[in-house]
Amino acid sequence: MTKLDAITEDTEIEEKRQQMYAALRALDAFGFWTIQGDMEPREPRVREVPHVWRWKDFEEHVMLAGEIVPHELADRRGIILHNPGLDMTKPATTNTQFVAYSVYMPGEVFHPHIHSPAASRMLLKSDGKGYTTVEGEKAYLERGDLITTPSGTWHDHGNEGDVPMVWVDMLDIPVAMLFNAGKFGFDYTENGVAREMQSPTRSQLYSQRHFAVGGVRPRFAEQVIGNDNGSPQLHFKYADTRRALNAVRDEAGDPYDGVIVDYVNIMDGGPIQRTQNFSMQLLRPGEHTLSHRDTSSSVYVVIEGSGSTIINGREYKWEEDDIFCVPTYMWHEHVNASNTEDAVIYCVSDAPAVKKLGLYWEDRKDSQGNVTTIGKAIPA
Ligand code: 1HN
């Protein structure tokens, strides 16, 4: 008989214990030891699963939504990508992000709104005449352009072009909700008068002209936007990002991520939003990175080429315009499937939030399979 058996065998005391447990439950409490196993996982517990949402599966539905779901039905025409590891009581793409394909049709105007969660768009399709206006900056978007909507900025969307505009929204809604700090507003006014779109208050290409040249910054540039939660540069042109990748493509690059650039806040060199890191990575023809995992989760959008990401030993193939996620603490390595073409993948992770909360560590595998932990590892 074990010591534990001996302890519970005394039926009189066991009965008293059970009575006490029931009394504690009636008092809205419980003994820690009765559920401890569930509260103290030996490894990070991750409910989300790796998944690829394929554009070829979504295209017909996204385009149809553009035709049969009018603005009156949808404040925003986003099709949210739901992680199959989560149930619908907690709909989300990962633990920390809401990601959607959205479509805005020629001639449409979607009215301004504002919210505390941080948002962003990665443009996939337009003829250069689809736009979003963020806090007075009206930005016409081209493929691969990023525009952020920092916490507390008014934004409205529209399409002055001849073809549907499709982009990927990536928002930190689950983070705002975790802290009970999610709030949305819809009543936009200018000088006390309700308006259906913002009047531009910044000159065209304000972001590029003030902030997109590295190393120098106009002294008179506006530095604070919304809740002062991040980068004053909102719009990042793909041509600039691609040029930055090309400029370093002959360097060794990062063993785990290839030729990768982070979008940075020109004011402090840090990530462009408080809760999200944004990066673009070039996988050169035939490139196959080493494997690592960390306590952040990521969502990727495929901008150029095709390849696969091996996540916890399983291969997930992707092509242009597909979206895939790497949940927290899963080993992953990227492969460019082509020996002649580049692959370029865009990534938004929750690493800045995880780091700020002191919960970040990373495990790296070298080419021999030896694992090194960066940051303080919690021993078993
Ligand atoms: C949202 O506010 C936007 O602002 C897009 O355009 C997609 C998906 C879920 C919740 C809020 C937008 C969204 C969203």
Side-chain angles (χ1 to χ4, degrees):
M1 194 193 301
T2 67
K3 200 170 171 202
L4 187 60
D5 288 336
I7 287 168
T8 53
E9 184 131 295
D10 186 331
T11 50
E12 201 179 312
I13 294 184
E14 179 60 15
E15 207 167 291
K16 273 192 189 154
R17 270 195 292 263
Q18 293 303 332
Q19 280 164 6
M20 181 182 72
Y21 295 164
L24 287 173
R25 271 200 295 281
L27 290 168
D28 296 308
F30 56 84
F32 183 34
W33 62 94
T34 62
I35 52 112
Q36 196 163 353
D38 202 41
M39 280 179 70
E40 297 186 338
R42 291 307 184 100
E43 289 292 339
R45 183 169 43 216
V46 182
R47 295 193 170 84
E48 300 74 20
V49 296
H51 193 72
V52 186
W53 290 269
R54 293 177 205 287
W55 174 245
K56 71 170 163 37
D57 295 334
F58 277 87
E59 182 171 13
E60 61 173 308
H61 304 295
V62 170
M63 293 308 166
L64 187 61
E67 281 166 27
I68 66 175
V69 181
H71 190 9
E72 290 72 18
L73 258 186
D75 167 57
R76 290 291 182 264
R77 202 185 283 111
I79 295 180
I80 309 276
L81 308 181
H82 177 63
N83 192 290
L86 300 174
D87 63 35
M88 282 305 284
T89 60
K90 194 189 173 216
T93 312
T94 62
N95 55 325
T96 53
Q97 290 192 67
F98 255 61
V99 176
Y101 283 118
S102 286
V103 60
Y104 296 101
M105 302 300 275
E108 284 191 325
V109 172
F110 273 56
H111 307 160
H113 80 168
I114 187 169
H115 40 72
S116 55
S120 64
R121 332 280 159 204
M122 168 48 55
L123 197 286
L124 296 182
K125 296 173 197 298
S126 95
D127 55 8
K129 298 196 184 114
Y131 67 87
T132 179
T133 303
V134 180
E135 205 66 14
E137 179 164 336
K138 184 172 188 178
Y140 292 93
L141 303 171
E142 297 174 293
R143 184 175 176 80
D145 281 12
L146 162 63
I147 183 152
T148 61
T149 307
S151 172
T153 51
W154 284 102
H155 47 291
D156 55 81
H157 314 314
N159 187 351
E160 296 166 2
D162 298 320
V163 301
M165 167 174 70
V166 179
W167 66 37
V168 181
D169 310 89
M170 297 166 114
L171 301 96
D172 71 355
I173 287 178
V175 178
M177 296 305 185
L178 173 68
F179 292 110
N180 294 342
K183 179 168 165 54
F184 288 68
F186 300 88
D187 300 330
Y188 180 71
T189 60
E190 287 179 8
N191 303 316
V193 180
R195 296 290 305 268
E196 298 206 328
M197 62 198 293
Q198 296 173 74
S199 306
T201 54
R202 287 179 156 196
S203 47
Q204 268 298 301
L205 294 171
Y206 183 96
S207 274
Q208 279 65 55
R209 289 183 295 96
H210 287 73
F211 303 112
V213 177
V216 290
R217 182 181 77 221
R219 200 177 284 179
F220 49 84
E222 263 185 71
Q223 298 178 357
V224 173
I225 190 127
N227 287 335
D228 191 17
N229 270 352
S231 164
Q233 179 176 0
L234 304 174
H235 184 192
F236 299 80
K237 298 296 295 176
Y238 187 54
D240 292 337
T241 315
R242 195 61 166 96
R243 194 175 328 118
L245 289 170
N246 284 343
V248 290
R249 65 174 299 138
D250 294 329
E251 307 291 329
D254 183 289
Y256 302 92
D257 285 307
V259 179
I260 184 165
V261 292
D262 289 313
Y263 292 82
V264 292
N265 180 343
I266 195 171
M267 305 309 294
D268 61 13
I272 58 175
Q273 310 238 64
R274 294 267 169 93
T275 53
Q276 295 172 303
N277 190 66
F278 296 73
S279 59
M280 191 72 83
Q281 67 195 90
L282 164 65
L283 301 168
R284 291 158 288 198
E287 185 155 9
H288 184 154
T289 67
L290 293 176
S291 186
H292 68 155
R293 65 178 178 182
D294 66 11
T295 51
S296 69
S297 60
S298 297
V299 180
Y300 292 81
V301 184
V302 181
I303 305 301
E304 290 182 37
S306 62
S308 61
T309 298
I310 300 165
I311 307 172
N312 275 357
R314 208 178 128 188
E315 186 183 33
Y316 295 84
K317 288 196 160 80
W318 39 255
E319 294 174 5
E320 269 182 21
D321 301 336
D322 289 352
I323 299 174
F324 64 96
C325 68
V326 177
T328 314
Y329 211 48
M330 295 199 181
W331 292 106
H332 58 280
E333 58 201 82
H334 303 294
V335 186
N336 180 349
S338 169
N339 285 320
T340 52
E341 306 297 320
D342 286 347
V344 179
I345 55 180
Y346 165 78
C347 177
V348 181
S349 88
D350 60 10
V354 179
K355 285 178 181 170
K356 248 175 256 135
L357 295 173
L359 299 170
Y360 187 81
W361 74 92
E362 177 192 1
D363 299 332
R364 297 179 173 177
K365 241 179 229 177
D366 66 17
S367 54
Q368 314 304 314
N370 303 312
V371 176
T372 310
T373 297
I374 311 294
K376 178 82 175 86
I378 306 292

